[in-house]
Amino acid sequence: MKKNNFNKKITFVANYFWTSIKEGSKSNSYFNYDNYLKKYPDVKESGMNPFKHYLLHGIDEERSTNFDENINSYSLVENSDLFDYEYYCEKNNLKFDSYSKALMHYLEKGYKKGYNPSIKFNAEEYYEVRPDVKRADVNPLVHYLKYGKIEVTSMTENLNLKEYQLVKNSNLFDYNYYMEKNHLDLRNETEAIYHYLEIGYKKGYNPSNKFNGEIYFKKNPDIEESGWNPLVHYLKYGQKEERTDKCDKNLKEYSLVKESGLFDYQFYKDKYDLDLNSYKRGLIHYLEFGYKRGYKPSRNFDGEEYLKRYPEVKKAGFNPLVHYLKYGVNEERIGLRRISFKNFNKNYDVEAILENIDNDVTILLNVEDSNNLKECIENIKSTTKDYKIILIHENLDDEDLEYIKSNNDIELLRRSPHESFINALNNILDNAKNDIIFLKNNIRTFEKWIFKLTVAAYSDDRIGFVSPISNYSTVSLINIEEDEKSSEFISNISKRDYEESPLPNDSCVFIKKDVFKELKFDESSNEENWFATFIDRGLEKGWKSILDDSTYVYYQFNEVEPQQADEYDYSTPYVLENRPSVKFINSDAFNNSFQNIHEYADDNLEENIQEKTRKNILFAMHYGGGVEFTVKDIVNAIKNDYECYVLRAFKNKMKLYKVFNDYFISIKEFNIKYPWTPKMIHSDEYKQIYFYILINYNIDILEIDHLLLHTFDLQELAKKLDIPIILTLHDFYYICPSYFLLDENNKYCGGYCGDQPRNCSTRVTWIDLPANIVEWKNQWQEYMKELFGMCDYILTATDFTKDMFLEHYDSLKSDDITIIEHGRDLIRYDNNYTVPNIYQPIKILIPGVIGPHKGLDFIKELKGFDDDNRLEYHFIGQVDDELKSMGIYHGPYEREDFAKWVFKIKPSFIGIFSVCAETYSHTLTESICSGVPVLASNLGALKTRIESQGGGWLVNIDDAEETYEQILDISSKKEEYKFVTENLKDIRISSSEEMGSKYKEIYDKLTKKEDK
């Protein structure tokens, strides 16, 4: 230790203790602990006592004990991005083990030696501009950050002066917010604004809570790429261009509306004559300005009509579509324009399509280059079911000829001499009864390509020619990858408007067989344009040529990519001679057909392809009931892997929902002209609706969760369209249309009617069953056998339900029905019950919709034996007035609140007194998890579950007096009661994830994901 340092330490210790005694504090005016730690953050980080550190190290390292100006300067420089720790050490040959030590060295000593803090700031240049700063021995960087930006002599003042005024006068900069939010120490608003203009925006700092720069960049990526300060750009240009400055709320609303599918960019842009160049700009315009002007986001949603219907929404200032999606959907408000039977299916002649989708096609395979001939033919084989190939060629080598001879479904036809070729081709087509596809051998096709082209061709009887989308052809497209996902992507984003196109795809075109009844190939045509001439003549005869924007084929280039003569946007014609290409490419029809694809391509194509190639599942059911909850649980488990749609049937309408997050968002509503009846097995009206949904939403799996209020056209269409079918058994509707298997006396019959006529409709009048149920049931079961035969999987939740169906249908085998238990994510409770005793009434909680099938009469009869008022009923759900008078009615409840009501009431038992057999019973599961034992009917799944697992006691639902005595007996046996109650926690309940994973395994098999 140096001598003078030793003397310093002795003096320091003496002065420190003298001041401590005088002021009565260890941390005092001579040596302040807090100030030392603030000045030297490395000491604070080390955890060492500041007095000890200064004595042992600080004096030797020439650290200061004074809380000087450098503490404030430290924060200022640290937040400026103008001190570079590594640069400072390396440039000046210094070694510090922390950023804070290096910065303090610069503030105390480095600047005096002329050291620069970083490559971004040159002290010598600043001193040249401000020699007074140098004369005063002021740190140049600190002066620049405090004063240099404000004064005209600042190195950057001239650049920012106008921007400073712009921001200052905007009311979008909040000095206090900027300081507190970003932990800055700037003396006044002027310094703060300049800090934001120079440094803050680059760090992502926001000028106030009224403007979010990060989200402004997200919504306007072109601005970020150009290096603009987001607020300056907004103030200079964004307001005029109607770019958004409201961020957090609108970003969520943007995602909500985009996912709902209820914003139609092309419709919005055209209807209101707006100059918007992307979907993103269009939707933002609607969220910011359009809804205030009464603009409709699409044909399917009328905001003004919604606000008229619900004036409280208008009064609150809500965007009507956002309100509908956030709240209206769950509240069952009317939001969507009703789509009538006549106008939703305008593009489909369903019967004609169904008659032709399974027919063979004849493929005219035009071989221009035989290099990839084998690959082409193998591709056709793998993507096409029923076909015949006529291979048109000039010269093939021996190897190709040998390969072709090994394929019985290929016929050779030489291209020359031309006249003979045309005659031979016409002779072949004279005898052909198939539709024709003209295909070049460098085209790669994908799954369902012919199916989709056939649907388009037969959507109108005057369509003669159908062209798919391609990456290169007479009408070319952006270069999407050559894989199955690209095909699925195109199909999933397709609008299927089938716009007329006078310019067919010359590499692949579907020609309806009826065209050849009127036309033949012209033998006098030029060898180069014989096919184009044929199409021209077809158009002259009145046949339509359309673009099918749901079908994608890939043009495989040879070594040299062909040159294209003209370019327009993303699409380019390369045949211009006497063809209406330029006119067509500038037409609305062309723009409408390709707008969707261009939009998705502009907006992160790779991400969109990933998102839009998820498989689509349609869940079909009736409105209401427990089925809906099960479907929601399944959907929640698979929503990240599959796109889910729900079709709810009502008596006089159907509604299609898309599942978004945890909500069913209504996207289509179909009015039914002829309301459903139980004997309505088939209906053209229903068929049109089902076909529209299955095709337009590219349904990959149909899951029928209930057929009530549906016709059998649904599964028959799905089978015809090769869509896998899953049938779930939630009740006994498929055994007997009486639904609950209750006879005319409301007694459980098990589905066995005998031979005598019976009228079982008295308790289910809303279904309006025929008077003689026996005759109709026998016919009904024949339809059910057909349904079971169409299904790929039949699923149910319990062994009891499976056994019931096997008993009633000899055609079903045990392996035909798979059991997947319903999963629930419920918290397990205990001590939610009241142990029954002789001093208090026995509390029985009876939940649910208590109708005849749920034991309404039995519950009344049971109370009739309670002369001593030992039983105290508690009801939650829906009950009639007579029941309310027999106990305590707590009102309706939500499914997720079941345990809360149990905790509040603390019953001794939960009563499940169904007089029909349950197939599972969610109420039993909820009771077990709430920690309260049940009194349950000795029927169905209630019986089998309690017998196998426990959870309560079974009662004779046919004898109320016996049940009453049983309840009193159980209540007197405390040990038995406690044993059953304790056992509840050991009963295993499947989780939603477990159930979802089993369903997902089946979905994956049906969509062949396992193979992929």
Side-chain angles (χ1 to χ4, degrees):
M1 185 193 306
K2 296 180 181 178
K3 186 176 181 181
N4 60 343
N5 281 354
F6 178 78
N7 292 335
K8 277 185 181 181
K9 292 182 180 183
I10 294 296
T11 303
F12 168 73
V13 171
N15 288 335
Y16 170 73
F17 281 111
W18 172 251
T19 307
S20 296
I21 294 169
K22 186 169 66 173
E23 297 181 3
S25 173
K26 290 183 179 180
S27 180
N28 50 59
S29 58
Y30 183 75
F31 183 80
N32 186 290
Y33 281 31
D34 290 338
N35 286 350
Y36 190 78
L37 293 176
K38 284 181 182 178
K39 187 169 184 176
Y40 300 110
D42 58 310
V43 179
K44 185 176 182 179
E45 291 170 6
S46 71
M48 185 180 286
N49 179 287
F51 171 79
K52 182 178 179 181
H53 182 278
Y54 181 69
L55 186 64
L56 296 179
H57 308 290
I59 293 174
D60 293 331
E61 296 170 359
E62 298 182 353
R63 299 196 188 214
S64 170
T65 61
N66 296 323
F67 182 72
D68 54 28
E69 184 65 21
N70 283 337
I71 297 300
N72 287 329
S73 300
Y74 182 97
S75 298
L76 184 68
V77 175
E78 182 182 34
N79 291 319
S80 71
D81 198 31
L82 290 176
F83 183 81
D84 185 330
Y85 164 60
E86 293 181 355
Y87 170 89
Y88 185 73
C89 293
E90 185 177 337
K91 189 72 174 176
N92 303 306
N93 198 26
L94 299 171
K95 289 186 179 180
F96 298 103
D97 58 11
S98 70
Y99 174 95
S100 57
K101 285 184 181 179
L103 178 51
M104 287 305 299
H105 181 274
Y106 169 72
L107 292 172
E108 292 183 343
K109 300 177 182 178
Y111 84 91
K112 296 178 180 180
K113 297 180 179 180
Y115 295 168
N116 286 323
S118 70
I119 197 171
K120 299 177 182 178
F121 187 88
N122 190 298
E124 187 177 346
E125 290 179 3
Y126 190 76
Y127 280 148
E128 287 179 6
V129 175
R130 294 297 305 270
D132 55 320
V133 176
K134 185 175 184 178
R135 285 194 298 271
D137 193 26
V138 174
N139 184 309
L141 176 57
V142 173
H143 185 276
Y144 168 70
L145 293 173
K146 285 186 174 182
Y147 317 108
K149 296 181 180 181
I150 304 165
E151 300 165 359
V152 177
T153 51
S154 166
M155 291 181 290
T156 59
E157 170 62 16
N158 290 332
L159 175 66
N160 283 336
L161 187 57
K162 291 180 180 178
E163 295 180 355
Y164 168 83
Q165 294 295 337
L166 190 67
V167 172
K168 183 176 175 62
N169 296 328
S170 71
N171 197 32
L172 289 176
F173 188 88
D174 183 329
Y175 168 65
N176 292 325
Y177 171 92
Y178 191 70
M179 294 295 97
E180 293 171 10
K181 191 74 173 174
N182 304 308
H183 309 293
L184 300 175
D185 183 20
L186 302 173
R187 294 185 305 174
N188 51 44
E189 184 184 60
T190 304
E191 284 190 23
I193 291 176
Y194 273 109
H195 183 276
Y196 171 70
L197 290 171
E198 284 284 306
I199 299 164
Y201 85 90
K202 296 176 183 176
K203 290 189 168 188
Y205 296 169
N206 289 320
S208 69
N209 62 359
K210 299 176 183 177
F211 187 89
N212 188 305
E214 180 182 0
I215 298 179
Y216 186 80
F217 279 151
K218 282 184 180 178
K219 292 185 175 183
N220 305 284
D222 54 319
I223 309 307
E224 183 176 21
E225 291 168 4
S226 63
W228 274 93
N229 177 307
L231 178 56
V232 171
H233 183 276
Y234 173 73
L235 295 172
K236 280 188 173 182
Y237 309 108
Q239 285 175 311
K240 296 176 185 177
E241 297 171 359
E242 296 187 332
R243 299 192 188 227
T244 181
D245 67 314
K246 293 179 179 164
C247 304
D248 293 324
K249 185 180 79 168
N250 280 346
L251 191 61
K252 293 177 182 177
E253 293 178 354
Y254 179 94
S255 299
L256 183 71
V257 175
K258 182 181 179 184
E259 289 296 326
S260 76
L262 289 177
F263 181 79
D264 185 329
Y265 163 68
Q266 195 64 42
F267 167 85
Y268 187 74
K269 175 185 174 185
D270 293 344
K271 184 169 181 64
Y272 302 110
D273 195 25
L274 299 172
D275 184 19
L276 302 167
N277 58 13
S278 70
Y279 176 96
K280 185 183 294 181
R281 292 284 299 279
L283 179 48
I284 290 170
H285 184 278
Y286 169 72
L287 291 172
E288 288 294 307
F289 310 101
Y291 84 91
K292 297 174 184 176
R293 300 170 186 171
Y295 292 176
K296 296 178 184 178
S298 68
R299 294 178 181 87
N300 292 335
F301 189 88
D302 188 328
E304 287 190 316
E305 183 65 31
Y306 188 81
L307 295 178
K308 282 180 186 177
R309 192 183 296 273
Y310 306 109
E312 73 277 11
V313 178
K314 183 175 182 179
K315 188 176 180 181
F318 266 102
N319 177 315
L321 177 55
V322 172
H323 182 276
Y324 172 68
L325 294 173
K326 278 187 173 181
Y327 312 109
V329 172
N330 288 336
E331 296 166 4
E332 287 295 324
R333 297 191 186 225
I334 298 172
L336 293 187
R337 180 178 68 82
R338 294 179 178 232
I339 301 171
S340 72
F341 169 72
K342 290 182 180 178
N343 66 12
F344 78 88
N345 63 324
K346 62 181 181 181
N347 284 330
Y348 298 122
D349 181 346
V350 176
E351 294 305 325
I353 293 171
L354 295 177
E355 286 174 12
N356 287 279
I357 54 173
D358 289 331
N359 291 345
D360 289 1
V361 294
T362 298
I363 299 173
L364 300 182
L365 184 59
N366 191 25
V367 179
E368 294 182 343
D369 181 351
S370 62
N371 287 337
N372 62 351
L373 180 59
K374 292 180 184 178
E375 180 186 349
C376 173
I377 293 174
E378 293 302 319
N379 170 242
I380 290 172
K381 286 181 178 180
S382 67
T383 59
T384 311
K385 285 202 306 182
D386 302 306
Y387 64 91
K388 176 182 179 181
I389 296 175
I390 297 176
L391 195 148
I392 302 170
H393 70 103
E394 189 64 49
N395 286 301
L396 293 176
D397 59 31
D398 292 340
E399 184 180 346
D400 287 333
L401 288 170
E402 192 65 32
Y403 167 76
I404 289 166
K405 288 177 182 178
S406 66
N407 289 270
N408 297 327
D409 44 18
I410 300 177
E411 183 176 339
L412 287 172
L413 186 61
R414 287 185 63 108
R415 193 179 290 110
S416 60
H418 180 64
E419 186 176 336
S420 300
F421 159 64
I422 294 296
N423 286 331
L425 183 57
N426 282 331
N427 287 333
I428 292 171
L429 297 178
D430 277 341
N431 298 318
K433 297 179 181 180
N434 307 335
D435 295 314
I436 304 295
I437 297 178
F438 180 81
L439 188 72
K440 290 185 178 178
N441 70 300
N442 53 359
I443 289 291
R444 182 184 173 191
T445 59
F446 303 98
E447 285 186 15
K448 293 189 175 182
W449 70 293
I450 291 181
F451 167 78
K452 288 182 282 189
L453 289 173
T454 305
V455 169
Y458 285 93
S459 64
D460 186 307
D461 60 2
R462 289 309 296 169
I463 292 174
F465 308 98
V466 182
S467 298
I469 297 293
S470 175
N471 61 311
Y472 184 94
S473 62
T474 310
V475 177
S476 181
L477 185 67
I478 52 173
N479 193 11
I480 301 177
E481 292 298 318
E482 180 191 1
D483 58 28
E484 196 66 50
K485 271 194 173 295
S486 296
S487 175
E488 292 173 12
F489 167 68
I490 292 295
S491 189
N492 280 338
I493 67 171
S494 167
K495 292 181 178 180
R496 288 177 173 78
D497 287 333
Y498 301 145
E499 297 283 355
E500 278 197 63
S501 160
L503 191 65
N505 182 333
D506 77 326
S507 298
C508 176
V509 59
F510 181 104
I511 307 172
K512 199 183 286 183
K513 56 181 174 286
D514 289 347
V515 174
F516 294 101
K517 294 177 182 178
E518 296 184 27
L519 291 171
K520 296 288 183 288
F521 286 104
D522 187 354
E523 60 189 46
S524 65
S525 61
N526 186 289
E527 291 184 17
E528 299 300 322
N529 64 3
W530 61 273
F531 187 73
T533 301
F534 176 78
I535 292 175
D536 282 341
R537 290 176 59 217
L539 297 178
E540 290 170 6
K541 289 276 189 180
W543 289 101
K544 293 180 183 178
S545 169
I546 65 166
L547 280 173
D548 172 19
D549 64 336
S550 70
T551 307
Y552 177 66
V553 297
Y554 185 84
Y555 187 104
Q556 296 175 310
F557 297 109
N558 295 324
E559 292 183 6
V560 180
E561 186 173 330
Q563 295 297 310
Q564 302 200 28
D566 236 6
E567 289 194 357
Y568 177 86
D569 195 21
Y570 292 101
S571 303
T572 311
Y574 74 92
V575 175
L576 293 173
E577 297 177 12
N578 303 315
R579 311 289 286 163
S581 55
V582 175
K583 182 179 178 182
F584 170 62
I585 285 179
N586 284 282
S587 70
D588 289 339
F590 178 84
N591 288 328
N592 290 342
S593 296
F594 289 90
Q595 179 62 49
N596 242 14
I597 301 167
H598 295 167
E599 183 59 50
Y600 280 101
D602 286 345
D603 188 15
N604 197 338
L605 177 62
E606 186 175 339
E607 183 179 315
N608 283 321
I609 288 179
Q610 189 65 31
E611 178 188 344
K612 291 295 179 182
T613 52
R614 294 195 297 180
K615 299 296 184 181
N616 302 304
I617 303 177
L618 177 67
F619 298 86
M621 66 180 78
H622 63 79
Y623 180 75
V627 176
E628 186 173 310
F629 292 115
T630 301
V631 170
K632 283 185 175 180
D633 290 336
I634 295 170
V635 166
N636 191 55
I638 65 165
K639 63 187 178 185
N640 294 328
D641 300 287
Y642 289 89
E643 205 72 57
C644 299
Y645 296 89
V646 175
L647 181 62
R648 280 171 168 165
F650 302 75
K651 250 197 163 185
N652 59 354
K653 65 181 177 182
M654 278 193 270
K655 294 177 74 172
L656 180 67
Y657 300 80
K658 183 177 180 182
V659 179
F660 173 57
N661 290 335
D662 295 325
Y663 301 112
F664 289 2
I665 295 180
S666 177
I667 56 175
K668 289 281 184 187
E669 184 172 323
F670 307 93
N671 288 338
I672 304 297
K673 186 176 180 181
Y674 301 103
W676 180 90
T677 66
K679 300 190 83 169
M680 186 184 283
I681 300 299
H682 294 101
S683 161
D684 288 341
E685 188 177 13
Y686 279 73
K687 184 186 288 187
Q688 291 277 357
I689 295 170
Y690 295 142
F691 188 85
Y692 173 87
I693 293 169
L694 295 173
I695 292 295
N696 276 45
Y697 294 92
N698 295 286
I699 300 304
D700 297 291
I701 296 175
L702 169 64
E703 179 169 309
I704 301 174
D705 292 292
H706 215 294
L707 265 182
L708 182 67
L709 302 176
H710 287 277
T711 67
F712 286 24
D713 300 290
L714 177 58
Q715 62 267 21
E716 289 177 7
L717 274 173
K719 193 68 177 176
K720 186 79 172 173
L721 299 175
D722 285 332
I723 297 172
I725 301 170
I726 298 171
L727 179 69
T728 59
L729 308 175
H730 297 279
D731 53 40
F732 302 111
Y733 180 65
Y734 305 123
I735 290 177
C736 177
S738 68
Y739 200 85
F740 300 125
L741 303 188
L742 299 176
D743 64 18
E744 60 269 28
N745 299 314
N746 202 42
K747 297 296 183 182
Y748 176 65
C749 66
Y752 296 101
C753 306
D755 298 327
Q756 298 302 313
R758 308 185 73 161
N759 181 4
C760 304
S761 61
T762 53
R763 295 294 183 171
V764 284
T765 53
W766 57 279
I767 299 182
D768 194 23
L769 289 170
N772 183 1
I773 190 67
V774 177
E775 182 181 342
W776 172 235
K777 179 197 157 197
N778 293 335
Q779 188 178 348
W780 175 259
Q781 289 197 346
E782 292 303 312
Y783 290 122
M784 292 305 108
K785 291 176 184 177
E786 292 179 16
L787 168 63
F788 298 148
M790 296 177 190
C791 295
D792 295 86
Y793 280 90
I794 301 174
L795 309 176
T796 194
T798 61
D799 286 309
F800 168 77
T801 310
K802 176 177 178 176
D803 292 341
M804 276 284 288
F805 277 86
L806 293 177
E807 281 180 26
H808 279 273
Y809 290 100
D810 294 337
S811 57
L812 285 174
K813 305 304 177 189
S814 181
D815 290 344
D816 293 334
I817 302 177
T818 302
I819 295 175
I820 299 179
E821 184 184 352
H822 291 319
R824 297 291 299 276
D825 298 324
L826 298 171
I827 299 172
R828 305 297 286 261
Y829 296 92
D830 52 22
N831 298 321
N832 266 356
Y833 54 85
T834 298
V835 178
N837 58 77
I838 61 174
Y839 305 105
Q840 294 175 300
I842 301 166
K843 293 181 180 180
I844 302 176
L845 172 60
I846 303 175
V849 180
I850 311 302
H853 63 294
K854 292 295 185 180
L856 173 65
D857 297 334
F858 176 83
I859 294 166
K860 292 176 181 178
E861 190 180 352
L862 180 64
K863 187 62 177 171
F865 291 100
D866 188 28
D867 296 331
D868 298 328
N869 288 320
R870 293 297 316 280
L871 306 184
E872 182 179 284
Y873 285 163
H874 290 258
F875 300 104
I876 57 174
Q878 297 178 29
V879 299
D880 66 14
D881 291 337
E882 188 180 354
L883 271 189
K884 289 178 184 177
S885 67
M886 292 182 176
I888 301 170
Y889 178 58
H890 299 274
Y893 73 100
E894 297 294 331
R895 182 193 194 201
E896 58 270 19
D897 294 331
F898 183 86
K900 293 179 184 177
W901 282 109
V902 173
F903 176 78
K904 182 179 179 179
I905 296 166
K906 284 195 163 30
S908 297
F909 303 99
I910 293 175
I912 310 174
F913 300 121
S914 302
V915 296
C916 61
E918 302 276 1
T919 56
Y920 178 72
S921 182
H922 283 283
T923 306
L924 175 58
T925 300
E926 291 164 347
S927 301
I928 291 169
C929 291
S930 68
V932 178
V934 300
L935 299 169
S937 309
N938 58 345
L939 293 173
L942 288 170
K943 182 175 187 290
T944 56
R945 288 182 67 188
I946 290 173
E947 284 180 341
S948 64
Q949 298 180 107
W953 294 265
L954 296 172
V955 301
N956 185 354
I957 205 68
D958 293 321
D959 193 330
E961 184 176 9
E962 178 187 317
T963 300
Y964 180 74
E965 295 298 331
Q966 183 184 0
I967 293 171
L968 296 183
D969 183 58
I970 294 168
S971 299
S972 67
K973 298 175 180 178
K974 290 186 178 179
E975 292 302 319
E976 180 183 338
Y977 181 88
K978 287 183 178 179
F979 176 81
V980 172
T981 306
E982 286 295 314
N983 180 58
L984 292 174
K985 64 178 181 292
D986 298 323
I987 298 174
R988 188 181 183 283
I989 304 295
S990 290
S991 68
S992 294
E993 183 179 357
E994 288 176 295
M995 175 183 68
S997 67
K998 291 177 181 178
Y999 271 86
K1000 183 177 178 297
E1001 184 179 339
I1002 290 172
Y1003 300 149
D1004 289 348
K1005 284 181 181 177
L1006 293 177
T1007 55
K1008 301 178 183 176
K1009 281 191 175 183
E1010 287 189 343
D1011 296 337
K1012 294 175 184 180

